[in-house]
Structure formats: C-alpha cells, structure tokens
C-alpha cells in the first residue's frame, strides 16, 4: 500500500520520516526508469523530469532550513544535547554548530541544484525528435 502524504497535515514524526524516505525511494525508481530505454521516449520526457527535480530541490531548501531551525530551538530549550542528562556541554555546542553549518551548505547546494536543473530543463525542452534517416533516392 502506498503511503498517502498530507501536505496540509496533521503531521507526526513518523509521517515526516516516511516522507523523507519516500524521496529516496522515488530517486531510486527514477534511476532505474531513466536507465531503461522504455522509461524515456523523448527529450520532452527529460525536460519534464528535470522540471520536477528542480521543483523538488527548491522545496528541499526549505526543509533543510527548517531542520536547522528546529535543532537550534531544541538546543536552546535544552532538548538537544550530547550529554545524557541534557546538560550543556562544549560537545553539544560543537555538534549543533556542525549540523547547522552542514545544513546551510546543503541548502546552498540545493539552491544551485535547482538553478542548474531549471536551466537544463529549458535546454532539453528545445530539443525535438527527428524523423528517422531515409535512404537516398535509389532506396538505399
């Protein structure tokens, strides 16, 4: 049974993790579909796929920003710590700083990915199928 996602909610942590897992599954399906000639019929198919991937990369930027913001809020509330009792520590501060920096870098790269995919979509959209080559006038 396919999981139904509700963009408007309500959201649970399990639903959120399932949505993230579905992105990975969809990427694996695309890997197989685009490697199999029947999975693509024309440059228009590639253009449509690239457009969808560009949209996904744009949405991913927001997810990454929100995850970083959540971690910062949890740390400020004492809910995210490398210490079992939740006390402050330099290790916790460093882990948070590292996570936020990595998420900021990932967000920047998602932004670049979205831009490049959008440009590739436009370029691929200008490609049109050509009729099969015909033999010369003698039928060869």
């Amino acid at each position: 049974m396919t999981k139904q996602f509700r963009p408007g909610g309500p959201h649970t942590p399990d639903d959120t993790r399932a949505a993230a897992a579905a992105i990975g599954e969809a990427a694996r399906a695309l890997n197989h579909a685009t490697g199999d000639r029947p999975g693509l019929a024309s440059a228009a198919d590639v253009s449509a796929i690239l457009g969808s991937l560009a949209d996904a990369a744009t949405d991913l930027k927001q997810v990454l920003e929100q995850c970083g913001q959540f971690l910062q809020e949890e740390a400020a509330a004492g809910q995210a710590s490398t210490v079992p009792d939740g006390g402050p520590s330099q290790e916790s501060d460093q882990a948070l700083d590292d996570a936020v920096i990595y998420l900021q870098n990932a967000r920047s790269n998602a932004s670049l990915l979205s831009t490049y995919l959008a440009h590739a979509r436009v370029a691929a959209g200008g490609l049109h199928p050509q009729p099969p080559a015909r033999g010369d006038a003698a039928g060869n």
Side-chain angles (χ1 to χ4, degrees):
M1 183 164 129
T2 302
K3 174 79 174 160
Q4 295 294 318
F5 298 105
R6 299 173 308 276
H11 305 289
T12 67
D14 287 342
D15 291 338
T16 304
R17 285 191 298 270
I23 293 171
E25 290 176 30
R28 284 186 292 284
L30 279 171
N31 285 338
H32 291 283
T34 57
D36 185 15
R37 195 67 172 155
L40 296 170
S42 70
D45 295 332
V46 172
S47 182
I49 291 165
L50 295 175
S52 294
L53 291 173
D55 291 345
T58 297
D59 292 339
L60 186 57
K61 292 185 309 187
Q62 183 177 355
V63 171
L64 298 170
E65 181 178 358
Q66 291 170 171
C67 285
Q69 184 177 11
F70 176 83
L71 290 176
Q72 290 174 319
E73 290 169 1
E74 288 291 288
Q79 299 298 312
S81 176
T82 59
V83 179
D85 67 3
S89 76
Q90 285 184 315
E91 290 174 355
S92 297
D93 293 343
Q94 186 62 54
L96 174 66
D97 290 346
D98 288 350
V100 170
I101 288 169
Y102 289 132
L103 286 167
Q104 288 170 343
N105 289 338
R107 187 172 184 272
S108 294
N109 285 310
S111 181
L112 285 172
L113 178 62
S114 177
T115 298
Y116 287 131
L117 288 169
H119 288 299
R121 180 197 61 81
V122 170
L127 300 172
H128 302 285
Q130 300 300 310
R134 297 183 187 176
D136 59 26
N140 296 326

